[in-house]
Amino acid sequence: MKNKKIVLQIFTGGFIGDSIEFDDLKHKLLLMINNLKVDKVIMGWCLNKDLYIETQKLLRKHNIELYLWLPVFSEIGLLYESISLKDYKGFDMKAYNLQEGENFEFYCPSKSKNIFNFYDVYEEYFSQIGFDGIFLDKIRYASFSNGIDGVFTCFCEDCMEVYNLNKLDVELLKKEIELLKDGNENYYNIPFNIDKYKNGKYKFNNKIWNEFFKIKSEIILNRISQISNYFHSKGMKVGIDTFAPFIAYFVGQDVGKMQKLVDFNKPMMYRITQAPAGLPFECDCLVKESTKDNFNDSKTNFLNIIGANNYDEKFSIDFIKNELDILVNQSNCDIYCGIEINRKMDIAKVYPEYIKENLSKLDDCHIEGYVLSWDLVSAPYDNIETVIDFFSYRGE
């Protein structure tokens, strides 16, 4: 299918520390704009206003929208005192440090203070720039990359109140958590003793898991609704960064319902990335954290359940297509598949052949286009030229 739209994503640096300079970005940005039909640019989240203003001036000459990329339930604590997730024993959740500016320290979505902190960051540092939209990242709970206790959150007093209102048997849940962590009963070699996976949802042999993850997703949905209304009322569009459905379920992301609240979704289909949101990384963490048997055997069991072929370094295109079909069929929200073009050794070994495989084999998916992720600045020129050559050859 022709006429796929292109969205560029740029990581400018975190809230604290040095940001990139406009000159670091300008050449690659112009190379993309002059050779591709770029629809949007997603950019964040350093505090250097001049960087956004200069970029905006350039983009407006080409009628390209600029979206502010901001984390919602992570990183904000670097600027405002935030309230962390609590595990089932009452301890603060552990952070996962990936790179400077990203600490993957997660905050409780039930706490109104954390939402107000997010609004305050926008209003104080970014509201005067005039972005076309907001791109919401980390609108979720912790994943398995934060350890199994990061997934078993949150158990603060506000979340406990929500559980009680929904008649969740918290004591039974805690007992089941202990059984899973010890690998007892039926948790030895099948994560969460999953029965089946269909349309982005799991059915477990013990219904307590469905009840727990459903409530978490409703808490996230409620917050996304509030945040979307906040920015829509300002005349801004809203995009979201989500996990692939098979991982999203465990972090409180009911992606189909989330899509109905926003203007576009970028599912992160990072087939090769060995870092949070990377499919092989998150899948391996899920299996390691939730089973006790031989890792390879447990991993094979899980992949069979979700319908994914076993992999060495990357997830299969066919599985990605199935995951995208789930999202396309669930709402009319524009979907831009997130694919890597950056290269980070030992994390994202992304080379031209891999990019060509993604673009050519995902071409018949009914998606709006692609977000070239997750950072244009760290994308080498051979990867950038591969994207340009692919669309130029097709006459787009």
Side-chain angles (χ1 to χ4, degrees):
M1 298 177 69
K2 289 191 176 183
N3 302 318
K4 291 285 196 294
K5 295 179 180 178
I6 297 296
V7 179
L8 305 179
Q9 189 165 0
I10 300 163
F11 184 60
T12 61
F15 291 131
I16 305 297
D18 295 334
S19 70
I20 64 170
E21 297 297 328
F22 183 65
D23 287 343
D24 299 333
L25 167 65
K26 185 177 180 180
H27 185 265
K28 286 181 179 178
L29 192 54
L30 280 173
L31 186 60
M32 286 294 203
I33 290 171
N34 290 334
N35 289 280
L36 295 170
K37 293 179 181 178
V38 176
D39 187 55
K40 302 175 179 65
V41 171
I42 296 166
M43 189 175 180
W45 53 82
C46 75
L47 304 182
N48 180 356
K49 292 181 182 179
D50 290 340
L51 177 60
Y52 302 105
I53 292 169
E54 289 299 313
T55 304
Q56 187 181 62
K57 287 178 183 177
L58 175 62
L59 296 181
R60 282 184 172 167
K61 293 177 183 177
H62 298 271
N63 198 31
I64 296 170
E65 294 180 328
L66 180 61
Y67 283 69
L68 172 64
W69 172 15
L70 277 184
V72 179
F73 295 121
S74 184
E75 322 301 333
I76 301 290
L78 294 170
L79 298 176
Y80 292 92
E81 183 178 353
S82 300
I83 304 171
S84 296
L85 293 169
K86 298 284 187 184
D87 67 21
Y88 74 108
K89 291 183 177 179
F91 296 111
D92 287 350
M93 191 216 72
K94 295 178 182 178
Y96 177 93
N97 292 302
L98 173 63
Q99 61 183 346
E100 186 177 355
E102 281 195 280
N103 61 18
F104 288 88
E105 176 186 74
F106 280 85
Y107 314 124
C108 176
S110 292
K111 296 288 189 182
S112 295
K113 176 178 172 55
N114 290 335
I115 295 294
F116 293 138
N117 284 349
F118 174 74
Y119 292 154
D120 287 345
V121 167
Y122 169 75
E123 294 294 346
E124 181 174 353
Y125 297 102
F126 302 103
S127 61
Q128 303 305 312
I129 295 172
F131 289 93
D132 298 290
I134 187 85
F135 181 69
L136 307 175
D137 190 6
K138 297 174 184 170
I139 39 169
R140 60 179 177 87
Y141 291 83
S143 75
F144 294 93
S145 62
N146 292 91
I148 193 69
D149 287 340
V151 176
F152 296 142
T153 54
C154 178
F155 288 84
C156 71
E157 65 277 9
D158 287 10
C159 286
M160 290 292 287
E161 184 176 341
V162 176
Y163 299 154
N164 290 333
L165 288 172
N166 284 273
K167 296 181 171 49
L168 178 70
D169 190 333
V170 175
E171 291 308 311
L172 176 61
L173 173 63
K174 289 182 177 181
K175 289 178 182 177
E176 210 64 24
I177 289 172
E178 292 286 356
L179 290 172
L180 183 146
K181 290 182 68 174
D182 292 338
N184 291 331
E185 295 192 2
N186 295 316
Y187 295 116
Y188 189 58
N189 60 8
I190 298 177
F192 290 83
N193 198 12
I194 298 166
D195 181 44
K196 65 180 180 179
Y197 173 73
K198 184 177 180 181
N199 294 329
K201 302 289 177 65
Y202 290 93
K203 179 182 177 184
F204 305 94
N205 281 288
N206 191 322
K207 67 178 184 178
I208 195 73
W209 299 121
N210 289 111
E211 294 171 359
F212 177 53
F213 290 117
K214 183 175 185 293
I215 294 170
K216 289 178 68 169
S217 73
E218 289 172 349
I219 292 171
I220 295 291
L221 278 169
N222 180 53
R223 291 310 193 186
I224 292 176
S225 178
Q226 293 173 358
I227 295 170
S228 293
N229 289 337
Y230 182 84
F231 286 102
H232 281 151
S233 70
K234 296 176 179 292
M236 297 171 65
K237 298 177 183 177
V238 179
I240 54 175
D241 206 32
T242 66
F243 278 10
F246 83 100
I247 292 292
Y249 185 93
F250 292 101
V251 298
Q253 291 184 333
D254 187 330
V255 184
K257 291 181 179 178
M258 291 167 67
Q259 289 180 164
K260 295 175 181 177
L261 301 172
V262 299
D263 299 284
F264 76 90
N265 177 28
K266 173 210 155 188
M268 295 176 283
M269 299 300 184
Y270 301 158
R271 299 171 52 220
I272 205 168
T273 295
Q274 291 292 340
L279 303 191
F281 182 83
E282 292 288 353
C283 182
D284 286 359
C285 287
L286 186 159
V287 174
K288 287 175 184 176
E289 292 291 328
S290 61
T291 60
K292 294 294 183 183
D293 196 6
N294 175 274
F295 170 73
N296 288 330
D297 290 344
S298 298
K299 179 176 169 181
T300 298
N301 290 339
F302 178 66
L303 293 175
N304 286 338
I305 290 171
I306 65 174
N309 296 327
N310 217 333
Y311 56 86
D312 293 320
E313 292 186 346
K314 61 185 178 183
F315 264 72
S316 74
I317 284 285
D318 287 340
F319 179 73
I320 299 304
K321 287 175 140 182
N322 289 338
E323 291 281 280
L324 287 172
D325 283 344
I326 291 170
L327 302 180
V328 169
N329 293 332
Q330 286 180 336
S331 80
N332 294 323
C333 170
D334 287 341
I335 296 170
Y336 296 85
C337 179
I339 59 173
E340 313 103 314
I341 66 162
N342 59 320
R343 184 182 299 154
K344 292 181 179 288
M345 299 312 297
D346 300 325
I347 294 178
K349 297 178 182 179
V350 178
Y351 289 89
E353 285 304 313
Y354 170 74
I355 293 172
K356 284 189 281 188
E357 180 186 31
N358 275 334
L359 293 175
S360 60
K361 294 189 176 180
L362 295 176
D363 189 51
D364 58 352
C365 292
H366 296 278
I367 56 176
E368 194 73 12
Y370 305 101
V371 178
L372 304 182
S373 307
W374 63 85
D375 177 37
L376 178 64
V377 176
S378 59
Y381 279 100
D382 57 340
N383 285 356
I384 291 173
E385 289 163 1
T386 297
V387 177
I388 293 171
D389 290 344
F390 177 84
F391 286 101
S392 296
Y393 177 77
R394 289 156 49 92
E396 293 185 26

